[in-house]
């Protein structure tokens, strides 16, 4: 075991603060990674504040962080895919049972024994897993991703969650070229959703509650921007979308977005507000519409997404912060004041 500096929350009402955790020694299958950058996902905040307590309660202390880019420092004797010095990524998953139907279908996120990067039972050390707000992490090589060398590591970190979470449902929807696609909420997930939908040839419309984000939305790749609090702007788009990706982190009226769909249209939820959303049957049955959900993506698809980003130079728009500013960043996240992902420079943990 090795002592590792980290930031943790001691309870749902405590700020994140310096802490020391233990990382396991590398087993033969493991890769030890020095963490360079870790993105701040709204899921980190939901978990730290125990907002998902009815579905997956938080075990404290909690070390969040699942958008990790780092450098390999050591590999176990059986590791074949990585060597010291490689720049790698770790997302929301660090292990699974490797054998269930979901694992065999490359959707390890749905494995009943999936080990998430934080707040998940740790089968090596007991207790729960600790995430990327730390100096280093030890991960089974099958959950380590290769980060294309042309991508800035600080801006590539958010691809490990915000990237794959938006890439996966957009790919799964089918041939999106020329389709009218809505992205609801211009935050960490939303801005990546805009980039991917645009890259795959859709006509992209951003729905935002923040009129000040309009110029950015267009720069990020949107063709049109709708301020969702403006009834007239909303009415102009009613019934016209093929697909809408909803990334909102808080309670909202989903029926409004079902109303934006055309015949057979689909709203896919990736946002995970703490309270259940009320769905009107009529909003679905008139127009044969569907509402579905999507959870991150499997390891194979995450690598495919990273390679796609490498090829097309797609990265996140990040505001790099030292870890000492993490609590301030959380306050800004709650106020939708992020442009468009915080990425923690983990060198600051040494200060
Ligand atoms: P984020 O950066 O905070 O972005 C969320 C955006 O939603 C905000 O920027 C804001 O956009 C909009 N919003 C916030 N509160 C709102 C409200 N009350 N009404 C309407 N719009 C509101 O968060 P994120 O990191 O992108 O995560 C978004 C959600 O996805 C979170 O719930 C997170 O836990 C979840 N998530 C799910 C998965 C998955 O696998 N399904 C993976 C990662 C994250 P505007 O200012 O443009 O309105
Ligand atoms: Zn996340």
């Amino acid at each position: 075991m090795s002592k590792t500096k980290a930031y943790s929350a001691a309870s749902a009402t405590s700020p994140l603060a310096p802490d020391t955790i233990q990382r396991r020694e590398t087993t033969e299958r493991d890769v030890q990674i020095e963490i360079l950058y870790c993105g701040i996902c709204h899921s980190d905040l939901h978990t730290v504040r125990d907002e998902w307590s009815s579905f997956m309660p938080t075990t404290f202390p909690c070390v969040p962080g699942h958008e990790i880019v780092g450098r390999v420092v050591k590999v176990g004797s059986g590791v074949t895919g990585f060597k010291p010095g490689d720049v790698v990524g770790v997302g929301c998953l660090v292990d699974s049972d490797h054998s269930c139907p979901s694992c065999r279908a490359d959707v390890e996120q749905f494995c009943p024994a999936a080990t998430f990067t934080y707040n998940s039972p740790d089968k090596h050390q007991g207790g729960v897993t600790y995430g990327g707000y730390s100096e280093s992490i030890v991960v089974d090589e099958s959950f380590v991703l290769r980060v294309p060398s042309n991508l800035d590591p600080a801006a590539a970190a958010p691809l490990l969650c915000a990237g794959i979470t938006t890439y996966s449902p957009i790919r799964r929807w089918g041939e999106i070229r020329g389709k009218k696609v809505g992205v609801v909420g211009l935050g960490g997930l939303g801005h990546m959703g805009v980039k991917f939908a645009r890259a795959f040839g859709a006509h992209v419309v951003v729905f935002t509650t923040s009129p000040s984000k309009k110029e950015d939305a267009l720069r990020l790749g949107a063709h049109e921007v709708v301020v969702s609090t403006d009834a007239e702007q909303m009415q102009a788009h009613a019934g016209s979308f093929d697909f809408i990706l909803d990334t909102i982190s808080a309670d909202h009226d989903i029926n409004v977005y079902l109303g934006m769909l055309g015949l057979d249209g689909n709203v896919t939820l990736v946002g995970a507000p703490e309270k259940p959303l009320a769905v009107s049957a009529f909003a679905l049955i008139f127009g044969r519409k569907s509402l579905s959900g999507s959870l991150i993506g499997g390891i194979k698809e995450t690598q495919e997404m990273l390679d796609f980003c490498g090829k097309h130079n797609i990265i996140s728009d990040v505001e790099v912060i030292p870890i000492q500013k993490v609590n301030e960043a959380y306050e800004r996240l709650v106020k939708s004041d992020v442009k468009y992902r915080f990425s923690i420079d983990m060198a600051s943990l040494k200060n």
Side-chain angles (χ1 to χ4, degrees):
M1 305 256 266
S2 64
K3 280 192 173 176
T4 304
K5 285 186 184 178
Y7 258 55
S8 73
S11 76
T13 52
S14 322
L16 288 147
D19 195 0
T20 304
I21 58 170
Q22 299 284 347
R23 294 295 191 193
R24 66 175 183 266
E25 291 305 320
T26 49
T27 70
E28 62 169 356
R29 303 170 55 91
D30 282 337
V31 177
Q32 187 189 333
I33 301 158
E34 176 201 4
I35 300 175
L36 300 173
Y37 295 94
C38 184
I40 298 181
C41 179
H42 208 114
S43 303
D44 301 351
L45 186 152
H46 288 305
T47 306
V48 159
R49 300 191 176 174
D50 206 11
E51 291 174 352
W52 292 336
S53 58
S54 49
F55 186 64
M56 30 186 191
T58 305
T59 301
F60 293 97
C62 173
V63 178
H66 58 205
E67 295 186 332
I68 299 167
V69 167
R71 193 177 289 113
V72 175
V73 288
K74 191 175 165 189
V75 297
S77 57
V79 169
T80 54
F82 302 95
K83 58 178 189 322
D86 288 352
V87 175
V88 295
V90 177
C92 303
L93 292 162
V94 288
D95 211 348
S96 69
D97 68 13
H98 301 258
S99 60
C100 72
S102 294
C103 289
R104 289 203 302 272
D106 293 312
V107 282
E108 301 87 352
Q109 71 271 36
F110 304 120
C111 169
T115 305
F116 293 92
T117 306
Y118 59 82
N119 197 43
S120 206
D122 184 335
K123 65 187 182 200
H124 296 269
Q125 293 176 243
V128 292
T129 50
Y130 292 138
Y133 297 7
S134 60
E135 281 177 303
S136 71
I137 192 165
V138 178
V139 180
D140 181 302
E141 84 159 315
S142 31
F143 289 83
V144 179
L145 287 309
R146 292 179 304 280
V147 176
S149 59
N150 58 315
L151 301 182
D152 168 20
L159 300 176
L160 278 306
C161 175
I164 184 59
T165 301
T166 51
Y167 179 92
S168 182
I170 288 171
R171 295 306 283 153
R172 194 176 161 70
W173 191 85
E175 182 47 79
I176 213 161
R177 186 165 299 280
K179 302 291 178 187
K180 188 168 175 186
V181 171
V183 175
V184 189
L186 197 66
L189 266 55
H191 92 292
M192 291 312 307
V194 169
K195 292 187 186 205
F196 288 129
R198 178 72 189 238
F200 289 113
H203 179 86
V204 184
V205 181
V206 164
F207 291 94
T208 182
T209 58
S210 310
S212 63
K213 293 181 182 173
K214 188 171 176 182
E215 292 310 312
D216 284 343
L218 296 171
R219 175 180 56 78
L220 291 163
H223 295 89
E224 296 178 70
V225 182
V226 174
V227 176
S228 54
T229 47
D230 182 322
E232 214 170 294
Q233 287 186 38
M234 291 294 274
Q235 188 50 39
H237 287 272
S240 67
F241 284 83
D242 296 295
F243 173 56
I244 295 178
L245 189 64
D246 181 344
T247 78
I248 298 179
S249 52
D251 193 21
H252 62 287
D253 185 2
I254 189 71
N255 302 300
V256 168
Y257 295 101
L258 292 170
M260 293 289 145
L261 296 174
L263 180 64
D264 288 326
N266 168 262
V267 170
T268 294
L269 275 180
V270 285
E274 68 180 289
K275 295 201 190 82
L277 300 169
V279 180
S280 151
F282 292 93
L284 286 172
I285 61 183
F286 278 88
R288 209 162 51 193
K289 296 164 184 176
S290 64
L291 173 63
S292 49
S294 191
L295 178 70
I296 49 174
I299 294 300
K300 186 176 171 201
E301 190 176 39
T302 305
Q303 189 63 62
E304 175 193 303
M305 177 273 311
L306 285 167
D307 295 343
F308 179 83
C309 289
K311 193 168 166 202
H312 298 275
N313 255 301
I314 294 176
I315 46 174
S316 171
D317 284 36
V318 288
E319 182 174 338
V320 178
I321 59 162
I323 188 121
Q324 291 77 7
K325 290 210 164 160
V326 69
N327 294 303
E328 206 178 295
Y330 274 35
E331 289 313 313
R332 286 181 52 195
L333 207 54
V334 173
K335 293 183 202 140
S336 303
D337 175 24
V338 191
K339 294 193 169 145
Y340 279 87
R341 198 58 141 185
F342 292 112
S343 183
I344 306 169
D345 180 353
M346 223 40 84
S348 60
L349 202 48
K350 298 185 173 71
N351 295 344

